[in-house]
Amino acid sequence: MVWVWVLFLVFVLLMLALDLGVFHREAHVVSMREALGWSAFWISLSLAFSIFIYFAYEGRWLGMGETLDAVDKTYNTGVPAAVKYLTGYIVEISLSMDNLFVILIIFRYFSVPPRYQHRVLFWGILGALVMRGVMIVVGAKLVAEFHWILYLFAVFLIYAGVKMLTMGDEPVDPEQNYMIRLARRFFPVTGRYHGNHFVVRAGTSASRELEMPGALAVRDEAVEKTGAGTLMLTPLALALIAVETTDVLFAVDSIPAIFAITADPNLVFTSNVFAILGLRSLFFALASLMDKFRYLKVSLALVLVLVGGKMLVADWFRDLMGPNYNFYLLGMVVFILAGGVVASLLAPAREEPGPAES
């Protein structure tokens, strides 16, 4: 079983190395065409991986499917494993969509130059993979040892879904992020961007590479007030910290959601990884359209309530739907999300408040 994780992690690291070291070696603005191309690549790769899942579990490759799935108390074979993987992937990437809205707000707040946004997302997602891996390992162990914890997950998901339905579109203030306040307390922060650097030393050439025309002639007062050689964070680092910490908060919803579908750590981890890997390209493809998806949050809330409710009445749901109940669950998730997208596209545009009449 360990070989499964090792081989998959080697594959993921290879893809990330190609991404940053070859295709995005030079910082540049990601065009819509490039973003759509990468989105199609990651989605196709994620869907194709379900074919591998089918044959691996059907043939018991590397011990896959030989561990009891604590959610439905069955041993996964090819078709159920592939359906659970696809359901988990769609749920995870759907819940990540809400994360994209927050990332967009963070980039706007810190005025991150477009050509450096990919760099922030790359390192942010790499950190997210590590943190989610730890959370999944711990979660799988808890579910295997204490089956009743699934009911706690279910109640939490329903609560999160209802809260998402009832809460308004409150603006996100990155300055309220505890980790950002902590970083500002322990590290001086430069007043301007310094190329693609997250950290610079005051008085070095890097600390003078400001992100603006005629940069070398522009003063960064924060650098000048700090002693030479002192390590300083740049606004790009603060944006990265905000992205990392918000992902942890969103993982609190998404990790229990995947455990509502399966407790098989291989299926949980791989569906999460592919959802996260496709997040960057989806961000650039949808950044200009995010404000149009006004009903997507309603769909996400309903998905959370659905998977939480399914977890609470899993035995009844399985008896009602039959052996293919996970396939029906997948269909309901897709239907809810598609409904939110269609409703958003058909809804009239919101009217911007005009100037007050005299």
Side-chain angles (χ1 to χ4, degrees):
M1 186 66 70
V2 175
W3 281 106
V4 177
W5 294 81
V6 172
L7 292 173
F8 185 72
L9 288 174
V10 168
F11 168 75
V12 170
L13 292 175
L14 178 62
M15 297 303 299
L16 290 174
L18 286 173
D19 187 347
L20 188 65
V22 177
F23 297 106
H24 295 93
R25 187 172 183 177
E26 298 294 333
H28 64 279
V29 178
V30 178
S31 66
M32 176 65 76
R33 181 178 179 180
E34 180 183 359
L36 289 174
W38 276 104
S39 297
F41 169 78
W42 285 115
I43 292 173
S44 299
L45 187 62
S46 304
L47 296 178
F49 192 77
S50 65
I51 300 175
F52 169 81
I53 290 291
Y54 169 81
F55 286 105
Y57 276 80
E58 194 69 19
R60 293 293 189 260
W61 297 352
L62 301 173
M64 288 188 179
E66 294 181 355
T67 302
L68 185 71
D69 192 329
V71 171
D72 52 15
K73 300 177 182 178
T74 60
Y75 290 92
N76 290 316
T77 54
V79 172
V83 171
K84 289 177 181 179
Y85 163 80
L86 289 173
T87 306
Y89 170 72
I90 292 175
V91 167
E92 292 300 307
I93 204 168
S94 301
L95 294 177
S96 296
M97 293 296 292
D98 206 29
N99 198 1
L100 293 183
F101 287 92
V102 178
I103 292 174
L104 180 62
I105 293 172
I106 291 171
F107 282 172
R108 288 175 177 173
Y109 180 87
F110 287 104
S111 301
V112 179
R115 61 176 172 163
Y116 298 136
Q117 291 178 2
H118 179 275
R119 180 176 175 83
V120 174
L121 286 175
F122 176 89
W123 290 108
I125 287 172
L126 188 62
L129 290 175
V130 175
M131 290 185 289
R132 292 201 181 197
V134 173
M135 295 175 71
I136 288 169
V137 170
V138 174
K141 184 68 174 176
L142 288 175
V143 170
E145 294 291 332
F146 311 102
H147 186 267
W148 53 264
I149 204 169
L150 288 173
Y151 298 109
L152 293 182
F153 285 170
V155 172
F156 174 78
L157 288 175
I158 295 173
Y159 167 77
V162 172
K163 184 178 180 181
M164 189 181 294
L165 277 174
T166 56
M167 68 186 297
D169 295 329
E170 300 176 359
V172 177
D173 183 6
E175 287 296 339
Q176 298 303 313
N177 186 305
Y178 175 76
M179 295 303 295
I180 288 182
R181 298 204 305 270
L182 197 64
R184 288 187 183 277
R185 180 180 300 177
F186 288 100
F187 295 95
V189 180
T190 66
R192 304 182 187 276
Y193 283 92
H194 295 261
N196 62 357
H197 299 284
F198 293 115
V199 179
V200 295
R201 286 188 181 275
T204 63
S205 59
S207 68
R208 292 190 292 271
E209 297 172 4
L210 304 185
E211 181 57 36
M212 56 177 49
L216 295 179
V218 178
R219 297 171 55 193
D220 187 339
E221 295 180 0
V223 170
E224 292 181 0
K225 292 178 181 178
T226 306
T230 302
L231 283 176
M232 304 185 69
L233 299 181
T234 68
L236 202 66
L238 296 184
L240 176 61
I241 292 171
V243 169
E244 291 279 18
T245 51
T246 54
D247 182 79
V248 173
L249 296 177
F250 279 98
V252 174
D253 287 345
S254 64
I255 297 301
I258 187 64
F259 277 113
I261 299 162
T262 178
D264 187 316
N266 295 320
L267 300 177
V268 172
F269 185 64
T270 53
S271 59
N272 257 268
V273 167
F274 276 114
I276 294 174
L277 288 176
L279 192 63
R280 292 161 303 156
S281 52
L282 278 177
F283 172 83
F284 293 109
L286 300 176
S288 61
L289 302 175
M290 286 183 191
D291 293 334
K292 298 181 184 294
F293 295 120
R294 53 196 291 191
Y295 293 115
L296 183 60
K297 182 167 287 190
V298 176
S299 294
L300 298 179
L302 293 177
V303 167
L304 286 176
V305 173
L306 172 65
V307 296
K310 176 263 179 186
M311 190 184 293
L312 279 179
V313 295
D315 293 336
W316 175 83
F317 187 76
R318 183 167 55 250
D319 293 338
L320 178 66
M321 296 296 181
N324 296 321
Y325 74 100
N326 275 304
F327 180 77
Y328 297 125
L329 176 64
L330 172 60
M332 286 187 281
V333 170
V334 172
F335 177 78
I336 292 173
L337 295 173
V341 172
V342 171
S344 300
L345 295 176
L346 295 179
R350 293 178 178 175
E351 295 184 3
E352 296 294 334
E357 295 182 3
S358 56

